[in-house]
Amino acid sequence: MGAFTKKEYQFLSELGLGPRNPGCYVNGSWKGSGPVVTSLNPANNQVIAEVVEASMQEYEEGMHACMDAAKMWMQIPAPKRGEIVRQIGEALRAKLQLLGRLVSLEMGKILPEGIGEVQEIIDMCDYAVGLSRQLNGSIIPSERPNHMMMEVWNPLGIVGVITAFNFPCAVLGWNACIALVCGNCVVWKGAPTTPLITIAMTEIVVGVLEKNNLPGAIFTAFCGGAEIGQAIACDTRIPLVSFTGSTKVGLMVQQKVNERFGKCLLELSGNNAIIVMDDADIQLAVRSVLFAAVGTAGQRCTTCRRLLLHESIYQSVLDQLVKVYNQVKIGDPLEKGTLLGPLHTLASKENFVKGIKGIKAQGGKILTGGSVIESEGNFVQPTIVEISPSAPVVKEELFGPVLYVMRFKTLKEAIEINNSVPQGLSSSIFTRRPEVIFKWIGPHGSDCGIVNVNIPTNGAEIGGAFGGEKATGGGREAGSDSWKQYMRRATCTINYGSELPLAQGINFG
Amino acid sequence: MGAFTKKEYQFLSELGLGPRNPGCYVNGSWKGSGPVVTSLNPANNQVIAEVVEASMQEYEEGMHACMDAAKMWMQIPAPKRGEIVRQIGEALRAKLQLLGRLVSLEMGKILPEGIGEVQEIIDMCDYAVGLSRQLNGSIIPSERPNHMMMEVWNPLGIVGVITAFNFPCAVLGWNACIALVCGNCVVWKGAPTTPLITIAMTEIVVGVLEKNNLPGAIFTAFCGGAEIGQAIACDTRIPLVSFTGSTKVGLMVQQKVNERFGKCLLELSGNNAIIVMDDADIQLAVRSVLFAAVGTAGQRCTTCRRLLLHESIYQSVLDQLVKVYNQVKIGDPLEKGTLLGPLHTLASKENFVKGIKGIKAQGGKILTGGSVIESEGNFVQPTIVEISPSAPVVKEELFGPVLYVMRFKTLKEAIEINNSVPQGLSSSIFTRRPEVIFKWIGPHGSDCGIVNVNIPTNGAEIGGAFGGEKATGGGREAGSDSWKQYMRRATCTINYGSELPLAQGINFG
Amino acid sequence: MGAFTKKEYQFLSELGLGPRNPGCYVNGSWKGSGPVVTSLNPANNQVIAEVVEASMQEYEEGMHACMDAAKMWMQIPAPKRGEIVRQIGEALRAKLQLLGRLVSLEMGKILPEGIGEVQEIIDMCDYAVGLSRQLNGSIIPSERPNHMMMEVWNPLGIVGVITAFNFPCAVLGWNACIALVCGNCVVWKGAPTTPLITIAMTEIVVGVLEKNNLPGAIFTAFCGGAEIGQAIACDTRIPLVSFTGSTKVGLMVQQKVNERFGKCLLELSGNNAIIVMDDADIQLAVRSVLFAAVGTAGQRCTTCRRLLLHESIYQSVLDQLVKVYNQVKIGDPLEKGTLLGPLHTLASKENFVKGIKGIKAQGGKILTGGSVIESEGNFVQPTIVEISPSAPVVKEELFGPVLYVMRFKTLKEAIEINNSVPQGLSSSIFTRRPEVIFKWIGPHGSDCGIVNVNIPTNGAEIGGAFGGEKATGGGREAGSDSWKQYMRRATCTINYGSELPLAQGINFG
Amino acid sequence: MGAFTKKEYQFLSELGLGPRNPGCYVNGSWKGSGPVVTSLNPANNQVIAEVVEASMQEYEEGMHACMDAAKMWMQIPAPKRGEIVRQIGEALRAKLQLLGRLVSLEMGKILPEGIGEVQEIIDMCDYAVGLSRQLNGSIIPSERPNHMMMEVWNPLGIVGVITAFNFPCAVLGWNACIALVCGNCVVWKGAPTTPLITIAMTEIVVGVLEKNNLPGAIFTAFCGGAEIGQAIACDTRIPLVSFTGSTKVGLMVQQKVNERFGKCLLELSGNNAIIVMDDADIQLAVRSVLFAAVGTAGQRCTTCRRLLLHESIYQSVLDQLVKVYNQVKIGDPLEKGTLLGPLHTLASKENFVKGIKGIKAQGGKILTGGSVIESEGNFVQPTIVEISPSAPVVKEELFGPVLYVMRFKTLKEAIEINNSVPQGLSSSIFTRRPEVIFKWIGPHGSDCGIVNVNIPTNGAEIGGAFGGEKATGGGREAGSDSWKQYMRRATCTINYGSELPLAQGINFG
């Protein structure tokens, strides 16, 4: 694949990357005869490397092989599949620093976040290994003598995973680790703008498959865009499509998949609020808001976009927040001490500019930030906006470090504002009162899938289920019983006697 | 409501029914100012009684009151909600015979099946009472000190339930019993052709609510047609719509509901096969096929529509089956000894005629039956058809007592045929070999949601999850963890310390 | 059985009781040829009725029939067993007031508590009905191809239940409801001093069995003393003995049962503390302490015996408490308004006197109460004692309304005192600080089986598991997975292939 | 520690062993000032190395440090504890071959079994890592408004593990992996005759602790005999003692532990039968019996000791079995191809001789084997005995390769024989009939904790729960919910409102 001329890119060759890379892994080998795309460094918009994406013919070849692989993979005992995932975890662990660096370079998030993201897949692998002996079905008492009723879980076959640029590793990890131990092959389409991560991750995964003499087609990966995405959505060979991205595209995918009687697992837009009550630990709240609103340059689905402050502490929290915002070190995400890297693409930067314009037009008052930073890269200022909860922009997800601040008087009012947006991913309250905590997590509290107390909206652990309600799509990934979505459930009743008693005591004939 | 003139309808007044009945229960009282419809007796197509359906204004009034009721109902402790459901069960038990009779009269199924269906709701009530103390969330170990991670389940608010004519009671029971203990109000639209059952059931349920001084709006019921159905599908106040009916309509409902970010629980078409292996207990198999194919006049979603016979026993099973088909007593479903009542409507009968024509056109050979029975009612003959598994009609659900018979050589082939239709509800095999049983329920076996051995495709117990894959819609009702669909899941993390450690060991700022 | 001459005892005939009653139900009929005992009214120590206890021959006859019944009962499908328990619940519900009255009369607790105790069995019945469809085993992924691994739960056969006088109904309910749905027969020995309750309860249970044409021997009951208890402990036909009583006797029972390879479920002594923190809702705390320390005349195993007050609120809480103690209405437990009835027996009263003497000898200061009340009955004063946590009496369970009050400075100190006694049943803290709540329920918090916050130590709900650690015996009854103790677990692996792969990849031969 | 003079022992130095070894690891360092014992090679009874066992003073020192370590270890988040166990698994994996070799050398089992045993701990580590995020408590619906009911699991503190010579690694692994992730420190006493394995295992575990700067006292290990065992049994600092060994000693341990209110997890004697039905796959059965009866020289707790043959295949199975017995290669367990190594000790050999004498005295007929093999080592012949099921010796566990063969006519009879011994560990049936399989695993089937079909009695997978009923002690180790035994359960109810509603609707005061 040739050699990188830039010294700072030389580590990429340790991840199997070169200046020009075949962009799909199908039927156990690397190919690529589709469009040639360039991977850009968001910090300066210069080319890192080129990738040749998959053609539709390669897609077909990949799917064909994957179908074959699925038939054998689903018959391998789950704990043996777990052993493969364990080895994937070990292989990732060996490349943790390098992969973290690549995530930071190509996606633009700061290095600790890049490494944290890779750590998350490793954690997922460890978790999935244990799970491979716990994908338990049930034996349910039958009301009929000599009958055994069971709930049995079987693999789906193939799981399609379409991931977004903001978590180019971890979201694959959530899905693939679980899908694989559940007995499914994985077909992955990474984000069009993070192809190097897609390739590097795939290299590591398939290295383990090959070492174990398993068909590479168990893991099939495509760098590609909407055409490949569309193909996955419409492909009847893929019973489950796990899609991460915007609500708009997610709904289209869902419709396509439903029409062909497939299932979707959707992780769509968030619009997450932090509520700070009058009795909150203000210092804790301010640190949390900073991490939640500025971390990953506001490009997490769990980024805090709305800050709801009790009137009694409104001004004081805001003052402290503006102060820490002004101290945020902006710059090269790979550099030590940087807290805010660039937005992922030029388009994101333009979207930020457009967003700020809309905010102002709707009466939003910029308290700090609000501008792009002149540079080759996609840097923008971390921004705080004072605005009414009823302004239309507040209902939308502006993917950048823009925080809307609002004032409330009562818990009830704060919860109403929290629940007043279409999205339902994450939410957080800062308080020390048990009655507030339990109300917040109860039936009349937050309507989100993630409901935190005294921590930010972001930074979920893998042991819990990750995902959200309403326009966020309703899917759940990572822990809890998320694995059930990757399997099909069969209610089995075995009559081992020689009579035919009927349920509900019915007498027929 | 006046008095029934016909003697055989007089029992209806014990269920609170009269010759003309208001058809919706909204905001705690009976109303009806929409279209007037007649309920017909399928055995003779004569009018049983009239019903005045809900108007759209009444729909609005009902939903408005239901929203208010939802706010209070979700705060009542689950075990207290369970107590209400227990009383509903007792009230139903007191009317078991009468309700069963009404089901038989208005829907057309034979009396033992009518009573069995009511028994099924009673069972569901009993089950839901226990469940009301077991809607358990989880406490999940957090990787962060002084953090508590939990999975909390909260009510959705309102659950819309749209049921079909073939199980006018039981499907409501599956949904309402669970929905109610989970803390949801129920908005029910019964089938347009079974309004008396809708009214009688509602009377019993709301009688319990009223006795307990609870708002009647907790249970809101509409007799109505597509307009009300459409309204429910589009109503953002209804986070979950549970729909039972055809795949075609189900997909439309799903699309509407998804567009407004709601969730669906779908129980759609089935196309269920019974496989008889060479080592099967033939007598058991024949009895099972009879119950599965002729029961409820072939109008169950779990009706056996395809019979796959191993070549070695093909002729002998067929001979026995034709023989028992010829002995099936057809007639008034309320009469003792009747096994086959009428189809539900005249349209069903016409559809049968059309279906038989199509079967013949596609090479199907009628082995017995195939004709309608001349009478005032909607009676047709139980029919056996020899046909190729590849004939297009075999992929569709013909809602009547028509059984397609096919021949196979190997288990593999039989499973392929079983899985070759779009639907994925129920399936059954008759065999005595463990290796066949476990293959059948395993990854390479049946792709249905219900996978039976040595029992028919129909007649599920409530303890298991009921529902199917693929075009059947993927929903699960009744037992197992079906209740989770009626609640929203929140992953809650509470930081009760004063530090802010981050997951995945990330260090931010 | 003759008629009661006293008017206030006439209601007993409605429970099937007479002046002289056969005291055991064996092999489906009432017998009694052992010692004649009298049931006394604790409020006046007058005879209520006579009971003829079981002889050892009757014990043998009962066990013999029970063994036979066990063989058939365990084969009845669990949901059918649930239906029987449902009917028992209904039968109890019909007699709720009468039974509650009997409990109050014979045991001595106030009427609302008597009725509450009967309500608890009814709740247990309802709960067990649902459970009868959820006694789920597991299907666990096997590491070997063509192997199915399962965890199957089977009935034990017979469960022996030995109950104490203080909850003569509810503890039977906890055990019998679960034991029965799990497929076990029940052998019950009630407390020697509450034989009428034993008989009345048994009448109701066996009435249901008889109505369903089931062998009465499924439920076998003995009024009797130590001899019968000993027989149960040593009887190899009884795989599980559930014993409620003192730690001393419980340990003896355990040893006997273990020697013959049986299992015990022990609910032994408690010595329960309430901690009141400086930030507590004092009013809530005082009301709770009153209920916990005076309720059931201090004869609950969950009675609060130790009150730990933060020094800052020590005096104020104590003042309020003494005040409410002085207002407690003492008297006939059946009379409206009475809060404190008599102790159960004369021996209890004497034990109280002895206890007070010991307290004083060890430096305890009586703040209120401390004396018996001159009357025919077993009345004593509700008593508050100021004493050091290190006084030996504080480590013991004095079964009466005596509350030890202590002072502490820090949460750590309070928890240490809480955990410093041999018993580990219940405990409670009053606070409004999340960090205190979560510390209290965490690894360094209370070491008890019941760990409450802002509620008393007593008054458990049936949905949770009831029981305690250390000298309390470690058993768990009622909800959660307590049912597992009433079944035996089998780890089953079925090889349905024709190869013999070994676990851990071992190659043998 | 000096160097081994014998070449074949030199690999031991790679495990940190020398000719003379300190035999306890207390408070983070190796010590040993108690009795000096020698580790013997069972194949020749020559000394491998010397070990200086723990003194009682060292025991005290160890326990003291362990108590301190327990306080901190239980506060470390479970997933972090899981990470430590993961590293232990990696460290063991790196030494798999060496450790397996040591097990084979010191214990005497053949090398593939030695390696398999070490693999089992590694599997346990992997499993426990996943479990560390799934030690889930429950949130249970409360019947009281503004109350939250939870089941919380907390660590016990210290778990004492006393293991036997036959699984000197794996049993430690079952216990320690689970105990550690559950938050407990481990105090291990290995078998007196396998001290080198105890030391080598401990070296690996504590190497990981030290690398992570954790107190070594988290894992405290003693080589020692009855005195240390007794100390553990009586030590109130050890809430749970997991004991593996004979029923006789186990009962004594249990009694000691119960007296001080501690808990036991017992894995005691087995007496396991294989039933071969008339329709069995005879070849599969014969291979299974060979592995089950001769593997580990009959010194597994799951060794098959009783073979129940249906009369119709009795002679043919026996003929084949005698034939394969005669081909069993006996010899050095480290040598390739050996199937039968020596018994573990000279005492075992003597016990074998005594056992054979008893067998003959009770009418047993030796079909093959029955003698010791003249050599320096503890070799004996694999032995088949024809004997009546009622002979007293058949009820006992003779720890060697002695198989009792019996004849039966019906399944019922076979199950009765299976269940007729005091022990209840493992059992197996060979059949191809579903009705037999499900009867066997049902309420009237095997009464053992392990109930297999078409596989041997031994060779359990870690995903299931391992353990047995009756005289086997009732404990369960490894998978399923075995972890619950290593934690204490707290039923917590938090009132976050300001009212005090009572359960069961009680009204007090």
Side-chain angles (χ1 to χ4, degrees), chain B residues 348-366:
Chain B
S348 309
K349 189 161 85 171
E350 285 159 8
N351 200 42
F352 173 86
V353 173
K354 213 175 99 192
I356 295 293
K357 201 174 294 177
I359 285 164
K360 287 177 181 165
Q362 291 179 21
K365 186 175 150 202
I366 310 288

Side-chain angles (χ1 to χ4, degrees), chain D residues 270-276 289 292-293 303-309 385 387-389 391 393-396 402-406 414-428 447-448 457 470:
Chain D
N271 186 351
N272 317 291
I274 288 179
I275 298 170
V276 184
V289 172
T303 289
C304 173
R305 310 204 174 282
R306 298 180 293 144
L307 177 62
L308 281 51
L309 299 173
V385 176
I387 196 164
S388 156
V393 287
V394 173
K395 314 279 181 185
E396 292 158 24
V402 178
L403 180 68
Y404 301 119
V405 187
M406 301 152 209
I415 292 174
E416 276 168 10
I417 299 174
N418 180 76
N419 295 355
S420 68
V421 298
Q423 305 85 356
L425 181 51
S426 187
S427 57
S428 191
D447 66 358
C448 293
T457 47
K470 301 192 297 183

Side-chain angles (χ1 to χ4, degrees), chain D residues 377-445:
Chain D
N378 311 318
F379 296 96
V380 303
Q381 291 174 336
T383 302
I384 300 178
V385 176
E386 196 169 45
I387 196 164
S388 156
S390 61
V393 287
V394 173
K395 314 279 181 185
E396 292 158 24
E397 186 186 36
L398 176 56
F399 229 58
V402 178
L403 180 68
Y404 301 119
V405 187
M406 301 152 209
R407 186 190 305 255
F408 69 89
K409 287 193 171 135
T410 64
L411 174 62
K412 190 161 177 287
E413 187 191 350
I415 292 174
E416 276 168 10
I417 299 174
N418 180 76
N419 295 355
S420 68
V421 298
Q423 305 85 356
L425 181 51
S426 187
S427 57
S428 191
I429 203 167
F430 283 75
T431 184
R432 290 152 164 164
R433 289 198 297 270
E435 66 271 26
V436 173
I437 294 174
F438 289 106
K439 172 138 206 198
W440 171 242
I441 69 176
H444 283 190

Side-chain angles (χ1 to χ4, degrees), chain C residues 70-72 74-75 110 112-113 116-117 119-120 123 138 140-144 147 149-156 247 251 254-255 258-259 261 263 281 284 287-288 290-292 294-296 300 339 422 430 437-439 441-456 458-467 469-472 474 476 479-482 484 487-509, chain D residues 70-72 74-75 110 112-113 116-117 119-120 123 138 140-144 147 149-156 247 251 254-255 258-259 261 263 281 284 287-288 290-292 294-296 300 339 422 430 437-439 441-456 458-467 469-472 474 476 479-482 484 487-509:
Chain C
K71 277 180 206 138
M72 72 80 70
M74 64 169 62
Q75 284 195 299
I110 61 172
E113 290 187 325
E117 180 176 352
Q119 183 59 48
E120 194 161 350
D123 290 351
S138 306
I140 303 170
S142 170
E143 70 189 60
R144 290 172 278 187
H147 281 56
M149 183 154 61
M150 300 184 292
E151 183 164 272
V152 175
W153 293 91
N154 281 311
L156 293 172
T247 293
L251 275 181
Q254 183 178 33
Q255 201 167 311
N258 286 346
E259 272 167 16
F261 308 130
K263 290 183 198 173
D281 178 331
L284 202 69
R287 280 196 59 206
S288 297
L290 179 70
F291 177 50
V294 173
T296 326
R300 290 190 178 215
L339 278 195
F430 283 76
I437 294 174
F438 289 106
K439 173 135 206 199
I441 70 175
H444 282 191
S446 166
D447 65 358
C448 293
I450 298 174
V451 183
N452 289 334
V453 178
N454 296 333
I455 59 167
N458 55 339
E461 294 186 27
I462 62 159
F466 182 94
E469 298 299 307
K470 301 194 296 183
T472 305
R476 287 300 187 279
S480 184
D481 65 355
S482 302
K484 291 185 177 175
M487 303 196 83
R488 62 185 172 80
R489 177 199 309 248
T491 304
C492 302
T493 306
I494 301 174
N495 175 10
Y496 53 91
S498 46
E499 307 293 317
L500 193 65
L502 302 181
Q504 291 93 48
I506 288 176
N507 198 351
F508 187 88
Chain D
K71 278 181 206 137
M72 71 81 70
M74 64 169 64
Q75 284 195 299
I110 63 173
E113 290 188 326
E117 181 177 350
Q119 183 60 48
E120 195 162 349
D123 290 351
S138 306
I140 303 171
S142 170
E143 70 190 59
R144 290 172 278 186
H147 281 57
M149 184 155 59
M150 300 184 292
E151 184 164 273
V152 174
W153 293 92
N154 281 310
L156 293 172
T247 293
L251 276 183
Q254 184 179 31
Q255 200 165 312
N258 285 346
E259 272 168 14
F261 309 129
K263 289 183 197 172
D281 178 331
L284 202 68
R287 282 195 57 208
S288 296
L290 180 69
F291 176 52
V294 173
T296 326
R300 290 190 178 214
L339 278 196
F430 283 75
I437 294 174
F438 289 106
K439 172 138 206 198
I441 69 176
H444 283 190
S446 167
D447 66 358
C448 293
I450 298 174
V451 183
N452 289 334
V453 179
N454 297 332
I455 60 167
N458 56 338
E461 295 187 26
I462 61 157
F466 181 94
E469 297 298 309
K470 301 192 297 183
T472 304
R476 288 299 186 280
S480 184
D481 65 355
S482 301
K484 290 185 178 175
M487 303 195 84
R488 63 185 171 81
R489 177 200 309 246
T491 304
C492 302
T493 306
I494 300 174
N495 175 8
Y496 54 91
S498 46
E499 307 293 316
L500 192 66
L502 301 182
Q504 292 93 46
I506 289 177
N507 198 351
F508 188 88

Side-chain angles (χ1 to χ4, degrees), chain C residues 58-248:
Chain C
E58 282 154 350
Y59 174 81
E60 257 315 297
E61 187 189 343
M63 286 308 303
H64 191 83
C66 193
M67 276 298 278
D68 281 345
K71 277 180 206 138
M72 72 80 70
W73 182 243
M74 64 169 62
Q75 284 195 299
I76 291 180
K80 302 290 182 201
R81 297 189 301 245
E83 167 61 16
I84 300 303
V85 173
R86 189 191 67 77
Q87 292 181 30
I88 293 172
E90 288 304 293
L92 288 165
R93 212 180 300 266
K95 304 270 187 183
L96 170 59
Q97 295 298 325
L98 290 168
L99 269 174
R101 196 166 182 79
L102 171 58
V103 170
S104 185
L105 174 68
E106 190 178 39
M107 187 277 157
K109 60 177 67 173
I110 61 172
L111 186 57
E113 290 187 325
I115 291 171
E117 180 176 352
V118 180
Q119 183 59 48
E120 194 161 350
I121 314 195
I122 296 172
D123 290 351
M124 279 303 302
C125 287
D126 293 344
Y127 179 78
V129 176
L131 201 60
S132 73
R133 293 187 189 267
Q134 294 169 290
L135 301 163
N136 287 8
S138 306
I139 301 172
I140 303 170
S142 170
E143 70 189 60
R144 290 172 278 187
N146 296 325
H147 281 56
M148 186 172 206
M149 183 154 61
M150 300 184 292
E151 183 164 272
V152 175
W153 293 91
N154 281 311
L156 293 172
I158 298 176
V159 173
V161 183
I162 301 175
T163 57
F165 76 84
N166 60 340
F167 279 91
C169 274
V171 173
L172 184 267
W174 289 348
N175 284 284
C177 295
I178 304 290
L180 287 171
V181 297
C182 287
N184 302 297
C185 291
V186 170
V187 172
W188 180 27
K189 188 191 93 57
T193 52
T194 54
L196 299 181
I197 298 169
T198 304
I199 294 170
M201 280 291 303
T202 300
E203 275 284 23
I204 287 170
V205 171
V206 303
V208 171
L209 294 176
E210 287 164 8
K211 204 176 115 193
N212 286 274
N213 294 316
L214 287 165
I218 290 169
F219 193 87
T220 299
F222 301 110
C223 294
E227 198 187 18
I228 298 285
Q230 178 100 352
I232 290 174
C234 296
D235 197 325
T236 56
R237 293 167 293 194
I238 305 179
L240 173 69
V241 177
S242 173
F243 173 87
T244 301
S246 71
T247 293
K248 197 181 138 200

Side-chain angles (χ1 to χ4, degrees), chain A residues 1-227:
Chain A
M1 286 190 253
F4 288 99
T5 47
K6 277 207 169 179
K7 198 184 139 208
E8 65 261 43
Y9 295 162
Q10 283 173 3
F11 80 95
L12 295 175
S13 58
E14 292 179 60
L15 290 166
L17 296 165
R20 187 183 177 104
N21 304 278
C24 65
Y25 182 82
V26 294
N27 195 10
S29 59
W30 284 101
K31 304 215 168 165
S33 61
V36 178
V37 295
T38 50
S39 166
L40 301 178
N41 179 344
N44 55 24
N45 282 311
Q46 291 175 3
V47 173
I48 306 171
E50 285 179 341
V51 169
V52 194
E53 293 187 343
S55 66
M56 283 312 293
Q57 196 179 334
E58 282 153 352
Y59 174 81
E60 257 314 299
E61 187 188 344
M63 286 308 304
H64 191 84
C66 193
M67 278 296 280
D68 280 347
K71 277 180 207 137
M72 72 80 71
W73 182 242
M74 65 169 62
Q75 284 196 298
I76 291 179
K80 301 292 181 200
R81 298 191 299 246
E83 168 60 16
I84 300 302
V85 172
R86 189 191 67 76
Q87 292 182 30
I88 292 172
E90 288 304 292
L92 287 165
R93 213 181 300 266
K95 303 272 187 186
L96 170 60
Q97 295 298 325
L98 290 168
L99 269 174
R101 196 165 183 78
L102 171 58
V103 170
S104 184
L105 174 67
E106 191 178 38
M107 186 279 157
K109 62 177 67 173
I110 62 172
L111 188 55
E113 289 187 326
I115 291 170
E117 182 178 349
V118 179
Q119 183 60 47
E120 195 162 349
I121 314 195
I122 296 170
D123 289 351
M124 278 303 302
C125 288
D126 294 345
Y127 179 78
V129 176
L131 202 59
S132 72
R133 292 186 189 267
Q134 295 170 289
L135 301 162
N136 286 8
S138 306
I139 301 171
I140 303 170
S142 170
E143 70 188 60
R144 290 173 277 187
N146 296 324
H147 282 57
M148 186 173 206
M149 184 155 60
M150 299 185 292
E151 184 165 272
V152 174
W153 293 92
N154 281 311
L156 294 172
I158 298 177
V159 173
V161 183
I162 300 176
T163 57
F165 75 86
N166 60 340
F167 278 91
C169 273
V171 174
L172 184 267
W174 287 349
N175 283 285
C177 295
I178 305 290
L180 286 171
V181 297
C182 287
N184 303 296
C185 291
V186 170
V187 172
W188 181 27
K189 188 191 93 58
T193 52
T194 54
L196 299 182
I197 298 169
T198 304
I199 294 169
M201 280 291 302
T202 300
E203 276 284 23
I204 287 170
V205 171
V206 302
V208 171
L209 294 176
E210 287 164 7
K211 205 176 115 194
N212 286 275
N213 295 315
L214 286 165
I218 289 168
F219 194 87
T220 299
F222 303 110
C223 294
E227 199 186 18

